[in-house]
Amino acid sequence: MRVGNVAKFLSVVAVIIIGFSYFISPLTTSIKQGLDLQGGTHVVLEAVDTPEAKVDEDAVRRVVKIIEKRVNEIGLTEPIIQRQGDRRIIVELPGIKEPEKAIEMLGKTALLEFQDESGTTVMTGKDLKDAKAEMGQNKNSVVALEFSDQGGKLFADLTTKNVGKHISILLDKQVLTSPVVNEPIPNGKAVITGSRSIEEAQNLAILLRSGSLPVKVDVMEMRTVGPTLGQDSKEKSEKAFSIGIALIVIFMLGFYRLSGFVATIALLVYVLLLVGSLKMLQATMTLPGIAGIILSMGVAVDANVLIFERFKEEYRSGKTLRAALDAGFSRAFNTILDSNVSIMITASVLFVLGTGPIKGFAITLGLGVILSMFTAITVSRYLLRMLMQANVTKNGKYFGA
């Protein structure tokens, strides 16, 4: 037995175990959770005809785009926005604590108008270039407007013709403010006052930036999805995950002994890499995503089993442990590659054709397969070589052969 090599092997194993114990908990808790795990709001919107605007295909597509833009600007994580039939749009908002407020923003028409004292609309939201919330004078929340080139000219003309008079800024036919024009404003900028808080000003700015909905949209259904169902399912998934991992470890240690121990350590590396990758990709975890992880872990173990079985065959044919190890990895590689390519094709199809949670399942499965192959081919092989160099034993039985 080479003491230095044994110490090196044990040091690497200790680093992996300590690294796993230290990083896995903060990584798993920091990954965003989907609607099925943390609850949220499920909304069904329907575009309806009005005397001013009829619903058609183009109008519904524009409504979907505008709602997507509004939801993204709110900063929600992994929302689901999809059409249902010709007129309906399903919106799922994970983690929303004030669904009524969110719904009001999603369905708001946000028609902005600038009127002179006679009530004539001179400009609308289409002349707007940008809108953002700011702290104005006396620390009041305001929305700063910047007009397009054409809008700037219209605003300059409006203020020039109405010096000493009121002009009104209206949102959805409601007067927001009616300031008196003291002098012409030629720089194409204006400010909407009257917001009660910076959050209210930010919401108004989002509505104005995303523009008006082309048709009227009604809320047909609003359902709050509580975390109870998701929490219950999550707890069951975690229990199933723990039991499954324990059985896998027992199986690997019982059948492959030292090789099984190495495979278990490689599995820790695999889990850490997978969770870290999901965190880097800012993925949102859902129940199908958890299913993809568990399935890919089975693939990871399967790759090690294929390698170890080839290793046993080579050893029983009379080769040394080191030669049998190299031959086992070499012979198993093509089989593992073929199997993983098939799974990757399936995951790719699910990702391209699927939606929402199905995409999540495809991502975790595909990513898991890639990482499982990496850890099986590199980490397991590296650790087994270190173990054999340590010359702990030359008896193949301790490696399951």
Side-chain angles (χ1 to χ4, degrees):
M1 180 184 295
R2 299 174 181 174
V3 178
N5 289 336
V6 172
K8 184 179 177 183
F9 173 77
L10 293 177
S11 299
V12 172
V13 170
V15 168
I16 292 174
I17 293 175
I18 293 172
F20 179 85
S21 304
Y22 184 78
F23 289 109
I24 193 64
S25 180
L27 279 175
T28 51
T29 53
S30 64
I31 292 179
K32 295 174 288 188
Q33 298 181 355
L35 185 72
D36 54 353
L37 295 182
Q38 66 168 321
T41 300
H42 173 93
V43 184
V44 179
L45 303 172
E46 182 171 291
V48 296
D49 293 320
T50 61
E52 295 80 18
K54 301 295 182 185
V55 176
D56 56 20
E57 179 65 20
D58 180 64
V60 177
R61 279 206 300 262
R62 288 166 58 197
V63 169
V64 172
K65 290 294 182 186
I66 291 173
I67 288 177
E68 286 178 347
K69 188 174 181 181
R70 290 178 178 177
V71 170
N72 290 335
E73 292 215 33
I74 294 171
L76 299 181
T77 57
E78 199 67 17
I80 294 176
I81 303 166
Q82 58 188 15
R83 285 187 60 174
Q84 183 185 57
D86 295 333
R87 294 173 175 245
R88 291 195 171 186
I89 302 163
I90 295 176
V91 183
E92 292 187 344
L93 309 171
I96 285 294
K97 298 178 180 177
E98 298 180 73
E100 291 82 7
K101 201 170 179 180
I103 300 309
E104 182 183 357
M105 177 172 291
L106 292 178
K108 199 87 174 179
T109 304
L111 175 61
L112 185 70
E113 297 175 282
F114 292 79
Q115 295 181 347
D116 60 20
E117 206 166 52
S118 66
T120 302
T121 299
V122 179
M123 303 168 57
T124 65
K126 68 180 178 59
D127 300 308
L128 194 63
K129 181 179 179 181
D130 192 18
K132 56 186 177 182
E134 291 181 352
M135 296 303 292
Q137 295 179 344
N138 301 321
K139 296 185 179 180
N140 293 323
S141 302
V142 300
V143 178
L145 306 178
E146 182 178 353
F147 299 108
S148 62
D149 292 341
Q150 180 63 23
K153 294 176 183 176
L154 291 173
F155 192 66
D157 185 58
L158 175 65
T159 52
T160 300
K161 292 179 178 177
N162 291 276
V163 174
K165 301 179 182 176
H166 288 275
I167 61 170
S168 297
I169 303 176
L170 299 87
L171 184 68
D172 294 338
K173 305 297 182 184
Q174 299 293 318
V175 177
L176 294 175
T177 182
S178 295
V180 175
V181 179
N182 296 319
E183 58 184 10
I185 303 176
N187 62 356
K189 294 183 179 179
V191 171
I192 298 177
T193 59
S195 297
R196 287 168 293 185
S197 64
I198 190 65
E199 288 78 16
E200 186 175 320
Q202 287 170 342
N203 289 340
L204 177 56
I206 290 172
L207 288 171
L208 296 175
R209 282 200 300 271
S210 56
S212 305
L213 296 179
V215 292
K216 187 172 183 291
V217 173
D218 288 341
V219 177
M220 304 304 294
E221 178 187 349
M222 183 180 72
R223 178 161 48 90
T224 300
V225 180
T228 306
L229 179 62
Q231 186 65 30
D232 181 58
S233 300
K234 187 168 72 172
E235 289 173 355
K236 288 182 178 177
S237 299
E238 290 174 348
K239 186 177 180 180
F241 180 81
S242 302
I243 294 174
I245 289 295
L247 291 176
I248 287 172
V249 171
I250 292 172
F251 170 79
M252 295 300 289
L253 291 176
F255 275 78
Y256 300 106
R257 298 162 194 180
L258 286 174
S259 298
F261 174 74
V262 166
T264 303
I265 299 300
L267 197 61
L268 297 182
V269 177
Y270 160 76
V271 172
L272 199 58
L273 289 176
L274 179 59
V275 176
S277 300
L278 292 174
K279 172 63 178 174
M280 287 179 61
L281 294 173
Q282 297 186 334
T284 297
M285 190 55 62
T286 62
L287 284 177
I290 293 175
I293 291 176
I294 294 174
L295 185 57
S296 65
M297 289 187 69
V299 175
V301 175
D302 186 52
N304 280 287
V305 168
L306 283 172
I307 293 168
F308 297 157
E309 287 299 323
R310 295 289 185 273
F311 164 68
K312 288 165 61 177
E313 290 176 4
E314 297 295 331
Y315 178 76
R316 288 169 183 167
S317 70
K319 293 181 179 176
T320 63
L321 284 175
R322 180 65 179 271
L325 175 68
D326 291 337
F329 272 93
S330 178
R331 288 185 59 193
F333 178 78
N334 288 336
T335 305
I336 296 171
L337 181 63
D338 292 344
S339 172
N340 287 352
V341 167
S342 302
I343 297 175
M344 285 300 297
I345 292 173
T346 304
S348 300
V349 172
L350 289 174
F351 180 78
V352 172
L353 301 180
T355 59
I358 303 301
K359 281 183 182 287
F361 173 78
I363 290 173
T364 54
L365 178 60
L367 188 61
V369 167
I370 294 172
L371 293 175
S372 71
M373 189 166 176
F374 170 76
T375 53
I377 299 299
T378 60
V379 179
S380 294
R381 188 172 189 170
Y382 177 70
L383 290 175
L384 275 173
R385 277 187 172 180
M386 289 182 66
L387 192 58
M388 290 177 183
Q389 287 173 353
N391 202 23
V392 176
T393 177
K394 293 182 179 179
N395 192 335
K397 289 184 178 179
Y398 289 99
F399 292 90

